Amino acid sequence: MSSKESIIRQPLVTGENITYAKVTDDILLPVENKPNKAWWIGFTIAGLGALLWVVSVGYTFWEGIGVWGLNKTVGWAWDITDFVWWVGIGHAGTLISAVLLIFKQNWRNSINRSAEAMTIFAVICAATYVVAHMGRPWLAYWIFPIPNQFGSLWVNFNSPLVWDAFAISTYFTVSLVFWFCGLLPDIATVRDRATGLKRKIYSILSLGWNGSVKTWQRFEIVALILAGISTPLVLSVHTIVSMDFATSIVPGWHTTIFPPYFVAGAIFSGFAMVQTLLLVLRKVMNFEDYITMFHIEAMNIIILVTGSIVGIAYLTELFIAWYSGSEYELYAFQNRIGGPYAWAYWSMMTCNVISPQLFWFKKIRTSIPISWVLSIVVNIGMWFERFVIIVTSLHRDYLPSSWAMFYPTWVDVGIFVGSVGLFFTLFLLFLRFLPGIAVAEVKMLLKSSSLQHKKKQIEEGLFPADQVEFFKERLDMYDSVTEEEISEIQN
Amino acid sequence: MSNIKYILGSFADPDQMMDGIDKLQKNNIEIYDCFTPMPIHGIEAKLGVKPSRLPIVAFCFAVLGAILGFSLLYYTMVHDWPMNIGGKPAFAAPAFVPVTFEVTILLCALGMVATFFFRNHLFPGRAPRVMDIRATDDRFILAVDAKTNTDHELIDSLLKEAGAVEVKHNERKYISYE
C-alpha cells in the first residue's frame, strides 16, 4: 500500500487534505449533481452538430453517395479520410489504458477512463463512415462471412477490406469490454451513494459489484490480460487500415512503410485529441488535482516522439519516391509537393512535422494554452495527412486522360462536421452519467504518489536533502500547487 | 446466543486494515472477507486466497479462437468455394493471418470476461452482496463471521487496536437495497 516511491518522481495527485472520501466527492461531482452552464452550452453546440450529422447521413442514404463530391477518378475521398482520422484518434485511448498499464505507468490512472471513452466514441464515428460509404447500407452485413442468397459464395478473405471489418469490430468490442470492466467498481460507488431510481439503474449497471478480495483479484488479472491482448490488437487495427491502401498498386499508396507509419500517426493524433479534451475537462470539471501538469507534459512528450516518427516517415517516403526509380511514384510525390493540392501537403507538413517540434521547449510543453492550440493543430494536420494520401494519389494516377479534381459538397462537409458533433455529444453524455476519472485507480495512488503523501515522507526525513530540493524544483510547473505550498516543504 | 451474524471492522486506511488482519490471524480468528474501494496488493497472500486461474481460461479461449478463425478461413476459402484470384493458391496462408488473429483476440477477451462475470456472479440485475455501504467509497471493511468466532469482545478490541474507525455487529449479512 504505502509503497515507498522515490521522491525523484513527481506527484500524480496534488491538493491539500486529500482523502479517499475527497477523491470520490471530487470525481463524482459532475455525476451526482445537475450539469453546469458550461456543460449545457457544450452539449447544445455538440447536439446541433449531431443533428447536422443525422441530416447529412440521412440525405446520403436517401439519395445515394452521388451527393458526395466523388467522381469516376476520385472514388474515395472525405469518407475514408474521416474514417482513418477517427480510427487513428481512437488509438490513444487503448494506448493509455493498455500499453501504459503493461509498463506500469501510474500516471495513466487518472486519464485512462476518459481516453477509453474517447476511443469508443471515435470508433463509433469511424464505423458510421464504413456504413455510409457503402451506397447500399442496408446490405452492410455482406462484409461478414454469412452464407448469402447467391449460394455459398463467401467474402474474399484475402482482401484487406474484409480484414478491416474484422479488425474494427474486434477492436470496438474489446475496447468496450475493457472500458466497461474498468467502470464496474466506479458504477458501484455511484450506486452506493445514490437513492431511488438512480440507485436502481446504477445497480443494474454495476452487475452487483461488491469489492471483495476475490473480485478485485480477478478484476486486476482481467485488466492486465485485456491490456496484453489490446496492445497487439491496436497495432493490428491501424496496420490493417494502412493495408487498405498499401496492398493496392496506386502510386503513393503502394509502400511497405505504411503500417508503422500509420500506427505512429494514429498514436500522434490520438494523444493530441486526448490533450484537446483533457485540458478543457480538467478546467471545467475542476480536475486540476488529478490531471496535473505532469500528465500534460508526459502526453506532450509522446506527441513529440510520435510526431517525429511521422516526420521521418514523410521524409523516407519522399526519399524512396526518388530512390526507387519508379517514375509513377516520383510523379505522385512531385504532384503532392507542387501540384494542385500542394496547399494540403504543406498544411500537413507544417502541422505534423514542424509544430510538434515546438514541444522540445519545456516552456511550451508546460503551457496549457499553447498545448491546447498545438493539439488542435496536430489534429488538423493529421486530417490533411489522410486527405493528401487518399486524394492526391487518386486524382492523378497512371492515365492522364482520367485526371480529375475533387471538390467536396455540403454533404461531405456536413458528415464530417456532424461526426465531430456526434463525438462530443457522446463524450459529454459520458461525463454527465459516468465518472470521468477512474475513482478506484486514483485511490491507489494516494498512499504512494500523491503530493500529500510525499510531503509527509519528506517531513519524516526519509529522503536526502538534494533529492528533496530536486523534487521541489520540479513542482514549479504545477498549476495546482502554489509557491507557498512548495516553500512549506521542509526537510 | 445472540443474533449477530457478522462483525465488521471499518477502517479509514488500508494499512491499518492489513494490520487488523495480522492481529486477528495471530489470535486464530478466521477472516470472512474484505471489501475495499480499491484493489489492495498483497492481501490475497495474507488471506490465503489462491491465485486466479483466469489466465489459463484466457489462454484456452485464445486457442479456441485461433482454431475457429483458421477453420472458418480454411473452410470458406479452400474447401467450400475456392476462388481463382489472379492465379494465386486458394490456401494463401499469409493472408489468413489477420482474420485468424482478430478472432483469437476477440474470443480470448470475451471468453475471459464472461468467465470472470460468471465466477463472480456478476450480471445485470444481481442484488449487490454488500456488507457496508461505504465499502465502495472511503472505508476498508474487514468482515469476521460472528457465528464461528464467538469471542466478540476480543475481536472488537483487536479491531479497535488496529485502528478501526468503527466496529459494527450486523444481524443481517448484507445491507438492503430495497
Side-chain angles (χ1 to χ4, degrees), chain A residues 1-2 21 24 152 154 157-158 177 189 191-193 199 207 210-218 220 233 236 443 447, chain B residues 13-15 33-38 41 44 50 73 76 80 95 102 113 120 122-124 128-130 133 136-138 177:
Chain A
M1 267 301 93
S2 57
T24 320
S152 49
W154 299 91
F157 280 112
N158 294 338
V177 164
T189 308
R191 173 196 73 198
D192 288 350
R193 288 158 60 100
R199 167 172 277 187
L207 309 184
N210 67 356
S212 68
V213 173
K214 198 71 193 173
T215 319
W216 277 121
Q217 184 201 33
R218 292 203 179 110
E220 290 215 289
L233 176 66
S236 85
K443 282 177 185 162
K447 292 200 82 180
Chain B
D13 185 302
D15 293 326
D33 205 343
C34 294
F35 300 91
T36 54
M38 63 187 204
H41 292 156
E44 301 101 318
K50 281 187 200 144
L73 295 180
T76 55
D80 191 46
E102 302 299 337
V113 171
N120 278 36
L122 295 168
F123 56 85
R129 273 22 176 203
V130 171
I133 200 88
T136 51
D137 186 352
D138 62 338
Y177 274 83

Short mmCIF file of all heavy atoms in Angstrom, two decimals, chain A residues 1-2 21 24 152 154 157-158 177 189 191-193 199 207 210-218 220 233 236 443 447, chain B residues 13-15 33-38 41 44 50 73 76 80 95 102 113 120 122-124 128-130 133 136-138 177:
data_model
loop_
_atom_site.label_atom_id
_atom_site.label_comp_id
_atom_site.label_asym_id
_atom_site.label_seq_id
_atom_site.Cartn_x
_atom_site.Cartn_y
_atom_site.Cartn_z
N MET A 1 0.83 -1.21 0.00
CA MET A 1 0.00 0.00 0.00
C MET A 1 0.86 1.25 0.00
O MET A 1 1.17 1.80 -1.02
CB MET A 1 -0.92 0.01 1.22
CG MET A 1 -2.26 -0.60 0.94
SD MET A 1 -3.09 0.29 -0.38
CE MET A 1 -2.59 -0.64 -1.80
N SER A 2 1.25 1.66 1.21
CA SER A 2 2.07 2.86 1.24
C SER A 2 3.48 2.47 0.79
O SER A 2 4.40 2.44 1.56
CB SER A 2 2.11 3.45 2.64
OG SER A 2 2.59 2.48 3.53
N ALA A 21 -12.33 9.80 0.69
CA ALA A 21 -13.67 10.38 0.54
C ALA A 21 -13.63 11.58 -0.40
O ALA A 21 -14.53 11.77 -1.23
CB ALA A 21 -14.20 10.80 1.90
N THR A 24 -13.53 10.56 -4.04
CA THR A 24 -14.86 10.17 -4.53
C THR A 24 -15.72 11.41 -4.76
O THR A 24 -16.35 11.56 -5.81
CB THR A 24 -15.56 9.27 -3.49
OG1 THR A 24 -14.60 8.38 -2.95
CG2 THR A 24 -16.68 8.49 -4.11
N SER A 152 -23.35 -20.54 -51.77
CA SER A 152 -22.36 -20.49 -50.70
C SER A 152 -21.13 -19.68 -51.09
O SER A 152 -20.02 -20.06 -50.82
CB SER A 152 -21.98 -21.91 -50.31
OG SER A 152 -21.68 -22.63 -51.48
N TRP A 154 -18.59 -16.92 -50.47
CA TRP A 154 -18.18 -16.25 -49.22
C TRP A 154 -17.51 -14.92 -49.55
O TRP A 154 -17.24 -14.63 -50.71
CB TRP A 154 -17.22 -17.14 -48.45
CG TRP A 154 -17.82 -18.45 -48.06
CD1 TRP A 154 -17.78 -19.61 -48.78
CD2 TRP A 154 -18.58 -18.73 -46.90
NE1 TRP A 154 -18.46 -20.60 -48.13
CE2 TRP A 154 -18.95 -20.10 -46.96
CE3 TRP A 154 -18.97 -17.99 -45.79
CZ2 TRP A 154 -19.69 -20.71 -45.97
CZ3 TRP A 154 -19.71 -18.60 -44.79
CH2 TRP A 154 -20.07 -19.95 -44.90
N PHE A 157 -11.57 -13.42 -48.18
CA PHE A 157 -10.73 -13.22 -47.00
C PHE A 157 -9.32 -12.79 -47.34
O PHE A 157 -8.51 -12.58 -46.45
CB PHE A 157 -10.70 -14.49 -46.16
CG PHE A 157 -11.91 -14.66 -45.29
CD1 PHE A 157 -12.83 -15.66 -45.53
CD2 PHE A 157 -12.13 -13.78 -44.25
CE1 PHE A 157 -13.93 -15.80 -44.73
CE2 PHE A 157 -13.24 -13.93 -43.44
CZ PHE A 157 -14.15 -14.93 -43.68
N ASN A 158 -8.98 -12.70 -48.61
CA ASN A 158 -7.66 -12.19 -48.97
C ASN A 158 -7.67 -10.67 -49.11
O ASN A 158 -6.66 -10.07 -49.40
CB ASN A 158 -7.19 -12.80 -50.30
CG ASN A 158 -6.96 -14.28 -50.17
OD1 ASN A 158 -6.75 -14.77 -49.07
ND2 ASN A 158 -7.03 -15.00 -51.28
N VAL A 177 -15.52 -3.74 -23.87
CA VAL A 177 -15.47 -4.66 -22.74
C VAL A 177 -14.46 -4.17 -21.70
O VAL A 177 -14.72 -4.15 -20.49
CB VAL A 177 -15.12 -6.08 -23.24
CG1 VAL A 177 -14.68 -6.97 -22.11
CG2 VAL A 177 -16.30 -6.69 -23.97
N THR A 189 -19.69 2.55 -6.87
CA THR A 189 -19.54 3.70 -5.97
C THR A 189 -20.70 4.67 -6.15
O THR A 189 -21.28 5.15 -5.17
CB THR A 189 -18.21 4.43 -6.25
OG1 THR A 189 -17.16 3.47 -6.21
CG2 THR A 189 -17.94 5.50 -5.24
N ARG A 191 -23.62 3.93 -7.30
CA ARG A 191 -24.80 3.21 -6.82
C ARG A 191 -24.97 3.36 -5.31
O ARG A 191 -26.06 3.68 -4.83
CB ARG A 191 -24.62 1.72 -7.16
CG ARG A 191 -25.67 0.79 -6.58
CD ARG A 191 -25.19 -0.65 -6.63
NE ARG A 191 -24.15 -0.91 -5.65
CZ ARG A 191 -23.31 -1.94 -5.68
NH1 ARG A 191 -23.36 -2.80 -6.67
NH2 ARG A 191 -22.39 -2.11 -4.75
N ASP A 192 -23.87 3.17 -4.57
CA ASP A 192 -23.98 3.16 -3.12
C ASP A 192 -24.17 4.55 -2.53
O ASP A 192 -24.43 4.69 -1.34
CB ASP A 192 -22.75 2.48 -2.51
CG ASP A 192 -22.78 0.99 -2.76
OD1 ASP A 192 -23.82 0.50 -3.22
OD2 ASP A 192 -21.75 0.32 -2.51
N ARG A 193 -24.00 5.58 -3.34
CA ARG A 193 -24.23 6.94 -2.84
C ARG A 193 -25.54 7.51 -3.35
O ARG A 193 -25.95 8.58 -2.91
CB ARG A 193 -23.07 7.84 -3.28
CG ARG A 193 -21.77 7.56 -2.54
CD ARG A 193 -20.57 8.05 -3.32
NE ARG A 193 -20.61 9.48 -3.57
CZ ARG A 193 -19.92 10.37 -2.86
NH1 ARG A 193 -19.17 9.98 -1.86
NH2 ARG A 193 -19.99 11.65 -3.15
N ARG A 199 -30.33 4.81 -8.03
CA ARG A 199 -29.66 3.66 -7.43
C ARG A 199 -30.02 2.38 -8.19
O ARG A 199 -29.16 1.54 -8.45
CB ARG A 199 -30.04 3.54 -5.96
CG ARG A 199 -29.64 2.20 -5.37
CD ARG A 199 -29.83 2.13 -3.89
NE ARG A 199 -28.69 2.72 -3.20
CZ ARG A 199 -28.52 2.67 -1.89
NH1 ARG A 199 -29.41 2.09 -1.14
NH2 ARG A 199 -27.46 3.21 -1.34
N LEU A 207 -23.71 -4.61 -12.10
CA LEU A 207 -23.74 -6.07 -12.12
C LEU A 207 -23.59 -6.67 -10.73
O LEU A 207 -23.18 -7.82 -10.58
CB LEU A 207 -22.65 -6.65 -13.05
CG LEU A 207 -22.53 -6.12 -14.48
CD1 LEU A 207 -21.46 -6.91 -15.22
CD2 LEU A 207 -23.82 -6.22 -15.24
N ASN A 210 -19.21 -5.86 -5.53
CA ASN A 210 -19.13 -5.60 -4.09
C ASN A 210 -17.72 -5.34 -3.57
O ASN A 210 -17.56 -5.03 -2.40
CB ASN A 210 -19.79 -6.74 -3.31
CG ASN A 210 -19.03 -8.03 -3.44
OD1 ASN A 210 -18.04 -8.12 -4.16
ND2 ASN A 210 -19.47 -9.06 -2.74
N GLY A 211 -16.72 -5.47 -4.40
CA GLY A 211 -15.36 -5.12 -3.97
C GLY A 211 -14.74 -6.09 -2.99
O GLY A 211 -13.91 -5.71 -2.17
N SER A 212 -15.11 -7.37 -3.07
CA SER A 212 -14.46 -8.35 -2.19
C SER A 212 -13.06 -8.68 -2.71
O SER A 212 -12.69 -8.28 -3.82
CB SER A 212 -15.30 -9.62 -2.12
OG SER A 212 -15.28 -10.27 -3.36
N VAL A 213 -12.32 -9.39 -1.88
CA VAL A 213 -10.92 -9.67 -2.23
C VAL A 213 -10.82 -10.41 -3.56
O VAL A 213 -10.05 -10.05 -4.44
CB VAL A 213 -10.26 -10.49 -1.10
CG1 VAL A 213 -8.87 -10.95 -1.51
CG2 VAL A 213 -10.19 -9.67 0.17
N LYS A 214 -11.66 -11.45 -3.69
CA LYS A 214 -11.59 -12.27 -4.90
C LYS A 214 -12.01 -11.46 -6.14
O LYS A 214 -11.46 -11.64 -7.23
CB LYS A 214 -12.50 -13.49 -4.72
CG LYS A 214 -12.23 -14.63 -5.67
CD LYS A 214 -10.92 -15.34 -5.37
CE LYS A 214 -10.54 -16.24 -6.53
NZ LYS A 214 -9.20 -16.82 -6.37
N THR A 215 -13.00 -10.59 -5.97
CA THR A 215 -13.45 -9.78 -7.10
C THR A 215 -12.31 -8.87 -7.59
O THR A 215 -12.03 -8.80 -8.78
CB THR A 215 -14.64 -8.89 -6.70
OG1 THR A 215 -15.51 -9.63 -5.88
CG2 THR A 215 -15.37 -8.37 -7.90
N TRP A 216 -11.66 -8.21 -6.65
CA TRP A 216 -10.57 -7.32 -7.03
C TRP A 216 -9.42 -8.10 -7.65
O TRP A 216 -8.80 -7.64 -8.61
CB TRP A 216 -10.04 -6.54 -5.82
CG TRP A 216 -10.84 -5.32 -5.50
CD1 TRP A 216 -11.48 -5.05 -4.33
CD2 TRP A 216 -11.08 -4.18 -6.35
NE1 TRP A 216 -12.10 -3.84 -4.40
CE2 TRP A 216 -11.87 -3.28 -5.63
CE3 TRP A 216 -10.70 -3.85 -7.65
CZ2 TRP A 216 -12.29 -2.06 -6.15
CZ3 TRP A 216 -11.12 -2.64 -8.17
CH2 TRP A 216 -11.90 -1.77 -7.42
N GLN A 217 -9.16 -9.31 -7.09
CA GLN A 217 -8.05 -10.10 -7.62
C GLN A 217 -8.32 -10.44 -9.09
O GLN A 217 -7.46 -10.24 -9.95
CB GLN A 217 -7.91 -11.38 -6.79
CG GLN A 217 -6.72 -12.21 -7.20
CD GLN A 217 -6.86 -13.64 -6.76
OE1 GLN A 217 -7.96 -14.19 -6.70
NE2 GLN A 217 -5.74 -14.27 -6.45
N ARG A 218 -9.54 -10.91 -9.37
CA ARG A 218 -9.86 -11.28 -10.75
C ARG A 218 -9.93 -10.04 -11.63
O ARG A 218 -9.53 -10.07 -12.79
CB ARG A 218 -11.19 -12.03 -10.79
CG ARG A 218 -11.10 -13.39 -10.12
CD ARG A 218 -12.19 -14.30 -10.64
NE ARG A 218 -12.10 -15.62 -10.03
CZ ARG A 218 -12.98 -16.09 -9.16
NH1 ARG A 218 -14.02 -15.36 -8.80
NH2 ARG A 218 -12.83 -17.29 -8.64
N GLU A 220 -8.16 -7.36 -11.46
CA GLU A 220 -6.83 -6.92 -11.86
C GLU A 220 -6.22 -7.83 -12.91
O GLU A 220 -5.54 -7.37 -13.83
CB GLU A 220 -5.91 -6.82 -10.64
CG GLU A 220 -6.31 -5.67 -9.74
CD GLU A 220 -5.12 -5.00 -9.10
OE1 GLU A 220 -4.54 -5.64 -8.21
OE2 GLU A 220 -4.77 -3.88 -9.49
N LEU A 233 -3.53 -5.85 -30.59
CA LEU A 233 -4.77 -5.58 -31.33
C LEU A 233 -4.76 -4.18 -31.92
O LEU A 233 -5.05 -3.99 -33.10
CB LEU A 233 -5.98 -5.76 -30.40
CG LEU A 233 -7.33 -5.42 -31.00
CD1 LEU A 233 -7.67 -6.38 -32.12
CD2 LEU A 233 -8.43 -5.45 -29.95
N SER A 236 -2.51 -3.98 -34.74
CA SER A 236 -3.04 -4.68 -35.92
C SER A 236 -4.11 -3.85 -36.62
O SER A 236 -4.21 -3.86 -37.84
CB SER A 236 -3.60 -6.04 -35.53
OG SER A 236 -4.94 -5.94 -35.07
N LYS A 443 -7.51 6.24 -6.29
CA LYS A 443 -7.35 5.97 -4.85
C LYS A 443 -6.08 5.17 -4.58
O LYS A 443 -5.46 5.32 -3.54
CB LYS A 443 -8.57 5.22 -4.33
CG LYS A 443 -9.76 6.14 -4.11
CD LYS A 443 -10.99 5.38 -3.67
CE LYS A 443 -12.17 6.34 -3.60
NZ LYS A 443 -13.45 5.63 -3.60
N LYS A 447 -1.59 6.76 -1.43
CA LYS A 447 -0.55 6.48 -0.45
C LYS A 447 0.77 6.10 -1.11
O LYS A 447 1.59 5.41 -0.53
CB LYS A 447 -1.01 5.38 0.50
CG LYS A 447 -2.14 5.86 1.39
CD LYS A 447 -2.29 5.02 2.62
CE LYS A 447 -1.30 5.45 3.70
NZ LYS A 447 -1.45 4.63 4.91
N ASP B 13 -8.06 3.48 6.60
CA ASP B 13 -6.74 3.39 5.97
C ASP B 13 -6.43 1.93 5.66
O ASP B 13 -6.58 1.06 6.52
CB ASP B 13 -5.71 3.95 6.95
CG ASP B 13 -4.32 4.02 6.36
OD1 ASP B 13 -3.79 2.96 5.93
OD2 ASP B 13 -3.76 5.12 6.31
N PRO B 14 -6.02 1.65 4.44
CA PRO B 14 -5.77 0.25 4.07
C PRO B 14 -4.67 -0.40 4.89
O PRO B 14 -4.73 -1.60 5.19
CB PRO B 14 -5.40 0.32 2.60
CG PRO B 14 -5.06 1.74 2.32
CD PRO B 14 -5.83 2.56 3.31
N ASP B 15 -3.65 0.37 5.26
CA ASP B 15 -2.54 -0.22 6.03
C ASP B 15 -3.02 -0.68 7.40
O ASP B 15 -2.59 -1.70 7.92
CB ASP B 15 -1.40 0.79 6.18
CG ASP B 15 -0.76 1.08 4.85
OD1 ASP B 15 -0.71 0.17 4.02
OD2 ASP B 15 -0.35 2.23 4.62
N ASP B 33 -14.04 -12.08 4.82
CA ASP B 33 -13.69 -11.42 3.56
C ASP B 33 -13.38 -9.96 3.85
O ASP B 33 -13.67 -9.47 4.94
CB ASP B 33 -14.86 -11.51 2.57
CG ASP B 33 -14.39 -11.43 1.12
OD1 ASP B 33 -13.25 -10.99 0.89
OD2 ASP B 33 -15.15 -11.83 0.22
N CYS B 34 -12.80 -9.28 2.85
CA CYS B 34 -12.57 -7.84 2.98
C CYS B 34 -13.24 -7.16 1.81
O CYS B 34 -13.25 -7.68 0.69
CB CYS B 34 -11.09 -7.52 2.95
SG CYS B 34 -10.23 -8.16 4.37
N PHE B 35 -13.81 -5.99 2.06
CA PHE B 35 -14.46 -5.23 0.99
C PHE B 35 -13.80 -3.85 0.94
O PHE B 35 -13.80 -3.13 1.93
CB PHE B 35 -15.96 -5.10 1.26
CG PHE B 35 -16.63 -6.44 1.35
CD1 PHE B 35 -16.77 -7.10 2.56
CD2 PHE B 35 -17.09 -7.07 0.20
CE1 PHE B 35 -17.36 -8.34 2.63
CE2 PHE B 35 -17.69 -8.32 0.26
CZ PHE B 35 -17.83 -8.95 1.47
N THR B 36 -13.24 -3.55 -0.21
CA THR B 36 -12.44 -2.32 -0.29
C THR B 36 -12.82 -1.51 -1.52
O THR B 36 -13.31 -2.06 -2.50
CB THR B 36 -10.94 -2.68 -0.38
OG1 THR B 36 -10.76 -3.58 -1.47
CG2 THR B 36 -10.44 -3.31 0.90
N PRO B 37 -12.62 -0.19 -1.47
CA PRO B 37 -12.93 0.64 -2.64
C PRO B 37 -11.88 0.56 -3.74
O PRO B 37 -12.06 1.15 -4.80
CB PRO B 37 -13.02 2.05 -2.06
CG PRO B 37 -12.25 2.02 -0.81
CD PRO B 37 -12.22 0.62 -0.32
N MET B 38 -10.80 -0.12 -3.48
CA MET B 38 -9.75 -0.23 -4.50
C MET B 38 -9.00 -1.54 -4.27
O MET B 38 -9.08 -2.12 -3.19
CB MET B 38 -8.78 0.95 -4.37
CG MET B 38 -8.08 0.96 -3.03
SD MET B 38 -7.12 2.45 -2.84
CE MET B 38 -5.90 1.91 -1.66
N HIS B 41 -2.96 -4.56 -2.91
CA HIS B 41 -1.97 -5.54 -3.33
C HIS B 41 -1.39 -6.25 -2.12
O HIS B 41 -1.10 -5.64 -1.11
CB HIS B 41 -0.87 -4.85 -4.15
CG HIS B 41 -1.39 -4.36 -5.46
ND1 HIS B 41 -0.82 -3.34 -6.17
CD2 HIS B 41 -2.46 -4.76 -6.19
CE1 HIS B 41 -1.52 -3.12 -7.27
NE2 HIS B 41 -2.51 -3.97 -7.31
N GLU B 44 -4.19 -10.95 -0.93
CA GLU B 44 -4.53 -12.34 -1.24
C GLU B 44 -3.60 -13.28 -0.49
O GLU B 44 -4.04 -14.28 0.08
CB GLU B 44 -4.40 -12.63 -2.74
CG GLU B 44 -5.27 -11.79 -3.64
CD GLU B 44 -4.48 -10.66 -4.27
OE1 GLU B 44 -3.66 -10.04 -3.56
OE2 GLU B 44 -4.69 -10.40 -5.46
N LYS B 50 -6.24 -18.16 -3.19
CA LYS B 50 -5.43 -18.78 -4.24
C LYS B 50 -5.30 -17.85 -5.44
O LYS B 50 -6.21 -17.07 -5.73
CB LYS B 50 -6.10 -20.07 -4.70
CG LYS B 50 -5.85 -21.22 -3.75
CD LYS B 50 -6.40 -22.50 -4.37
CE LYS B 50 -6.63 -23.54 -3.30
NZ LYS B 50 -7.82 -24.34 -3.58
N LEU B 73 -11.61 -19.69 -42.20
CA LEU B 73 -10.93 -19.30 -43.42
C LEU B 73 -10.66 -20.51 -44.31
O LEU B 73 -10.88 -20.47 -45.52
CB LEU B 73 -9.60 -18.61 -43.08
CG LEU B 73 -9.74 -17.28 -42.35
CD1 LEU B 73 -8.38 -16.69 -42.06
CD2 LEU B 73 -10.55 -16.31 -43.17
N THR B 76 -14.01 -21.77 -45.88
CA THR B 76 -14.61 -20.93 -46.92
C THR B 76 -13.69 -20.77 -48.12
O THR B 76 -14.14 -20.84 -49.26
CB THR B 76 -14.94 -19.53 -46.37
OG1 THR B 76 -13.76 -18.96 -45.81
CG2 THR B 76 -16.02 -19.59 -45.32
N ASP B 80 -14.79 -24.99 -49.27
CA ASP B 80 -16.16 -24.82 -49.74
C ASP B 80 -16.25 -24.17 -51.12
O ASP B 80 -17.01 -24.62 -51.97
CB ASP B 80 -16.96 -24.00 -48.71
CG ASP B 80 -18.44 -24.03 -49.01
OD1 ASP B 80 -18.96 -25.12 -49.27
OD2 ASP B 80 -19.08 -22.96 -48.98
N ALA B 95 -2.25 -14.49 -45.97
CA ALA B 95 -3.44 -13.65 -45.98
C ALA B 95 -4.46 -14.11 -44.95
O ALA B 95 -5.42 -13.40 -44.66
CB ALA B 95 -4.07 -13.64 -47.37
N GLU B 102 -7.50 -11.64 -35.34
CA GLU B 102 -8.59 -10.87 -34.76
C GLU B 102 -9.58 -11.77 -34.03
O GLU B 102 -10.04 -11.44 -32.94
CB GLU B 102 -9.33 -10.06 -35.84
CG GLU B 102 -8.47 -9.09 -36.64
CD GLU B 102 -7.81 -8.00 -35.81
OE1 GLU B 102 -8.30 -7.69 -34.72
OE2 GLU B 102 -6.78 -7.47 -36.27
N VAL B 113 -13.68 -12.49 -20.01
CA VAL B 113 -14.55 -11.59 -19.25
C VAL B 113 -15.85 -12.30 -18.86
O VAL B 113 -16.33 -12.16 -17.74
CB VAL B 113 -14.81 -10.30 -20.05
CG1 VAL B 113 -15.88 -9.46 -19.37
CG2 VAL B 113 -13.53 -9.50 -20.17
N ASN B 120 -17.78 -14.67 -10.58
CA ASN B 120 -18.07 -13.71 -9.51
C ASN B 120 -19.55 -13.38 -9.41
O ASN B 120 -19.92 -12.46 -8.71
CB ASN B 120 -17.26 -12.43 -9.71
CG ASN B 120 -15.86 -12.57 -9.21
OD1 ASN B 120 -15.28 -13.64 -9.32
ND2 ASN B 120 -15.32 -11.53 -8.63
N LEU B 122 -21.48 -11.89 -11.47
CA LEU B 122 -21.77 -10.52 -11.88
C LEU B 122 -22.70 -10.59 -13.09
O LEU B 122 -22.34 -11.17 -14.11
CB LEU B 122 -20.49 -9.78 -12.27
CG LEU B 122 -19.47 -9.53 -11.16
CD1 LEU B 122 -18.15 -9.06 -11.77
CD2 LEU B 122 -19.98 -8.49 -10.19
N PHE B 123 -23.89 -10.07 -12.94
CA PHE B 123 -24.78 -9.99 -14.11
C PHE B 123 -25.80 -8.88 -13.85
O PHE B 123 -26.04 -8.50 -12.70
CB PHE B 123 -25.48 -11.33 -14.36
CG PHE B 123 -26.25 -11.87 -13.20
CD1 PHE B 123 -27.57 -11.46 -12.98
CD2 PHE B 123 -25.67 -12.78 -12.33
CE1 PHE B 123 -28.28 -11.96 -11.90
CE2 PHE B 123 -26.38 -13.27 -11.25
CZ PHE B 123 -27.69 -12.86 -11.04
N PRO B 124 -26.39 -8.32 -14.89
CA PRO B 124 -27.33 -7.22 -14.69
C PRO B 124 -28.52 -7.69 -13.86
O PRO B 124 -29.09 -8.74 -14.13
CB PRO B 124 -27.78 -6.86 -16.11
CG PRO B 124 -26.87 -7.55 -17.03
CD PRO B 124 -26.25 -8.68 -16.32
N PRO B 128 -26.66 -6.52 -5.16
CA PRO B 128 -25.28 -6.41 -4.67
C PRO B 128 -25.13 -7.02 -3.28
O PRO B 128 -25.91 -6.72 -2.39
CB PRO B 128 -25.04 -4.90 -4.62
CG PRO B 128 -26.12 -4.29 -5.44
CD PRO B 128 -27.28 -5.21 -5.37
N ARG B 129 -24.16 -7.91 -3.12
CA ARG B 129 -23.88 -8.51 -1.81
C ARG B 129 -22.89 -7.61 -1.09
O ARG B 129 -21.71 -7.90 -1.02
CB ARG B 129 -23.25 -9.87 -2.01
CG ARG B 129 -24.09 -11.12 -2.18
CD ARG B 129 -25.45 -11.01 -2.62
NE ARG B 129 -26.05 -12.34 -2.80
CZ ARG B 129 -27.09 -12.56 -3.60
NH1 ARG B 129 -27.61 -11.57 -4.30
NH2 ARG B 129 -27.60 -13.76 -3.70
N VAL B 130 -23.39 -6.48 -0.60
CA VAL B 130 -22.53 -5.50 0.04
C VAL B 130 -22.81 -5.51 1.54
O VAL B 130 -23.96 -5.49 1.97
CB VAL B 130 -22.79 -4.10 -0.56
CG1 VAL B 130 -22.06 -3.04 0.23
CG2 VAL B 130 -22.32 -4.08 -2.01
N ILE B 133 -22.17 -0.02 3.24
CA ILE B 133 -22.41 0.86 2.11
C ILE B 133 -21.20 1.73 1.76
O ILE B 133 -21.04 2.16 0.63
CB ILE B 133 -23.67 1.73 2.40
CG1 ILE B 133 -24.25 2.30 1.12
CG2 ILE B 133 -23.38 2.84 3.37
CD1 ILE B 133 -25.23 1.40 0.45
N THR B 136 -17.54 0.93 -0.94
CA THR B 136 -17.18 1.33 -2.30
C THR B 136 -16.75 2.80 -2.34
O THR B 136 -16.49 3.34 -3.40
CB THR B 136 -18.37 1.15 -3.26
OG1 THR B 136 -19.50 1.80 -2.70
CG2 THR B 136 -18.66 -0.31 -3.49
N ASP B 137 -16.71 3.44 -1.18
CA ASP B 137 -16.39 4.85 -1.15
C ASP B 137 -15.04 5.10 -0.45
O ASP B 137 -14.00 5.20 -1.11
CB ASP B 137 -17.54 5.60 -0.45
CG ASP B 137 -17.37 7.09 -0.49
OD1 ASP B 137 -16.30 7.54 -0.92
OD2 ASP B 137 -18.30 7.81 -0.10
N ASP B 138 -15.05 5.14 0.89
CA ASP B 138 -13.82 5.51 1.58
C ASP B 138 -13.51 4.61 2.77
O ASP B 138 -12.66 4.94 3.56
CB ASP B 138 -13.89 6.97 2.03
CG ASP B 138 -15.03 7.21 3.00
OD1 ASP B 138 -15.98 6.39 3.00
OD2 ASP B 138 -14.96 8.17 3.76
N TYR B 177 -30.94 -3.20 -0.36
CA TYR B 177 -31.01 -2.18 -1.42
C TYR B 177 -32.45 -1.82 -1.74
O TYR B 177 -32.72 -1.14 -2.71
CB TYR B 177 -30.28 -2.67 -2.66
CG TYR B 177 -28.80 -2.37 -2.61
CD1 TYR B 177 -27.94 -3.22 -1.95
CD2 TYR B 177 -28.30 -1.23 -3.20
CE1 TYR B 177 -26.60 -2.95 -1.88
CE2 TYR B 177 -26.94 -0.95 -3.14
CZ TYR B 177 -26.10 -1.81 -2.48
OH TYR B 177 -24.76 -1.53 -2.42
#
